[in-house]
Amino acid sequence: MPTAPDAPAAGTLADGLLGQVAEQLGRPLPACLQEAFQRVPRHRFLPDRIWLRDGSGGYRPVDRTTDPADWLAAAYTDQPLVTHFTGGLPSSSASMPSMVARMLLLAGLTEPNGPDQAPLRVLELGAGTGFNAGLLCILAGDEQVTTIDLDPDLAATAQENLKRVGRAPTVVAADGAGGWPPGAPYDVVLATFSVDHIPPKWLTGLRPAGGRIVTPWTSAWCSYGTLELTATEGGQAHGRFHSFASFMPMARPHAKSHPPTTTPAGDDSAAFSATGLSPWAVAGGDLDAEFHIGLTVPGASYSWDTSGDHAHTRLQIQDPATGSWATVDYDGRTAAEFAVTQAGSRRLWDEVTAAYRRWEELGRPSVDSYGLTVTAGATVMWAGSPASPVAES
């Protein structure tokens, strides 16, 4: 299909973007992926207003009509761009191009296809702006690509964006958790949102013995990492995590949200103790430790309270599903001991402490050391090898 007419500067800007991506990855992209980035101009998939991180934890808008140069430059910078807010929070974005490239490489879509092999069938979960689907069309062929999005408006916008640049994959408004059975089996299932488990229908829609799933990963504790799974016989799959990507979680229709767990000072079930384990060790930005805790302490999340209302600095841990909570307080003077309060059916700080000590016993493995095996009856997370399981669901 022909490529739609484009701004004269887009080709030069795309070259610059490819240079940024190569620098981030430490090597140039394969020629076929470079071609895809050249033939699918990123700015054609962006709304007139986008939002960039402002460096202070928030976002600043960039409007094409009032600041076209800044808007176009942002389109070809290796950074994520928020394209939609829901309830004051980012709900859709144009992913960081180097992240997109990493995932396409993991999916095997840049590897040469033998002359006797059928074209790869690809299911993308989370159409977003349509940009990633456009790249997939170049790599696999329009007729081989299906992209779905839960939001009908986003799906329609993605389809229109793709049409404008001459691409025509199958675009469907549907729940990503259910895959898309009419197009199965797929050689590749590629998610553009993060999940904390592999939905069963992703596996049943995958080509047995060799089909791949690539998806960002999340947990209540730590949203980080990308999982690459390869299907084996009998509906099973096996693969490893990789140290990159932090994506928005999978949206679900009619999902019920749990209200925040409160930490009432007079809770009769509260237990008081002290700990020598620093709260910053488990929630201070060590992604390897936090990833392990997220895998092994399901449902537990944390936040920091620096208001000074209760302590100089407080780590708050909660599990809304059970109403359990814990706090770890730093008094502003000594980092040798911290006051702990726990309440509810789960002793969350005890669980987090046990998970951290286990991570230390394992030799402080990095995210890349972990893997996941899906069988008919269970999902097992492991560190190093399947012989060293750390969690099961």
Side-chain angles (χ1 to χ4, degrees):
M1 290 186 178
T3 301
D6 214 351
T12 301
L13 290 169
D15 286 337
L17 177 59
L18 285 169
Q20 296 173 53
V21 172
E23 183 177 358
Q24 183 70 26
L25 271 60
R27 65 187 189 280
L29 293 177
C32 61
L33 192 48
Q34 291 190 42
E35 180 189 357
F37 272 90
Q38 287 282 6
R39 293 176 61 188
V40 183
R42 191 184 188 212
H43 75 279
R44 299 297 297 273
F45 291 82
L46 298 175
D48 286 343
R49 173 167 288 191
I50 55 179
W51 289 263
L52 286 69
R53 290 195 177 277
D54 62 8
S56 302
Y59 297 87
R60 66 176 181 89
V62 179
D63 198 292
R64 183 179 189 176
T65 57
T66 58
D67 196 352
D70 194 16
W71 181 91
L72 188 61
Y76 289 93
T77 302
D78 188 29
Q79 63 179 315
L81 306 171
V82 174
T83 58
H84 189 71
F85 280 81
T86 301
L89 296 173
S91 57
S92 185
S93 66
S95 301
M96 188 174 180
S98 59
M99 294 289 188
V100 171
R102 287 181 191 271
M103 293 181 69
L104 293 172
L105 290 167
L106 281 182
L109 291 167
T110 63
E111 299 169 6
N113 210 15
D116 298 328
Q117 291 179 287
L120 296 179
R121 293 185 61 78
V122 183
L123 173 64
E124 180 193 35
L125 306 166
T129 66
F131 174 70
N132 198 54
L135 299 177
L136 292 171
C137 287
I138 301 296
L139 295 170
D142 294 47
E143 66 283 357
Q144 299 299 117
V145 177
T146 299
T147 182
I148 69 177
D149 204 288
L150 177 64
D151 187 327
D153 291 336
L154 287 179
T157 298
Q159 187 168 36
E160 182 59 31
N161 289 340
L162 287 158
K163 182 179 179 180
R164 285 206 309 251
V165 297
R167 311 313 326 174
T170 299
V171 182
V172 182
D175 181 6
W180 187 245
Y186 299 97
D187 298 281
V188 174
V189 173
L190 181 70
T192 65
F193 47 73
S194 59
V195 297
D196 59 5
H197 69 285
I198 299 301
K201 290 188 178 180
W202 291 12
L203 276 176
T204 57
L206 199 62
R207 174 173 59 82
R212 296 189 191 185
I213 293 173
V214 177
T215 179
W217 193 259
T218 191
S219 68
W221 195 269
C222 177
S223 182
Y224 185 67
T226 298
L227 177 64
E228 174 200 3
L229 282 177
T230 301
T232 56
E233 296 292 349
Q236 302 183 13
H238 181 87
R240 284 189 172 273
F241 291 96
H242 299 264
S243 296
F244 73 89
S246 177
F247 279 64
M248 296 175 188
M250 176 172 62
R252 298 308 317 280
H254 316 300
K256 294 181 179 179
S257 60
H258 294 286
T261 304
T262 58
T263 56
D267 192 331
D268 293 337
S269 70
F272 305 93
S273 60
T275 182
L277 177 60
S278 168
W280 285 278
V282 301
D286 187 332
L287 290 173
D288 294 329
E290 293 181 26
F291 183 82
H292 178 90
I293 292 168
L295 288 182
T296 57
V297 189
S301 62
Y302 72 86
S303 61
W304 289 95
D305 179 359
T306 58
S307 68
D309 291 342
H310 307 288
H312 180 281
T313 304
R314 167 172 284 187
L315 175 67
Q316 302 176 141
I317 305 171
Q318 64 176 10
D319 171 22
T322 64
S324 302
W325 58 268
T327 60
V328 185
D329 292 341
Y330 168 58
D331 62 11
R333 297 185 299 275
T334 176
E337 188 174 84
F338 306 87
V340 177
T341 307
Q342 302 183 84
S345 59
R346 298 178 66 181
R347 289 301 188 242
L348 289 172
W349 180 248
D350 292 348
E351 291 186 38
V352 169
T353 299
Y356 183 81
R357 298 305 183 202
R358 174 62 174 152
W359 177 69
E360 290 188 309
E361 291 170 2
L362 290 166
R364 296 172 168 250
S366 65
V367 173
D368 302 87
S369 301
Y370 290 83
L372 183 147
T373 300
V374 182
T375 65
T379 297
V380 178
M381 292 82 161
W382 41 267
S385 75
S388 181
V390 296
E392 182 175 329
S393 61

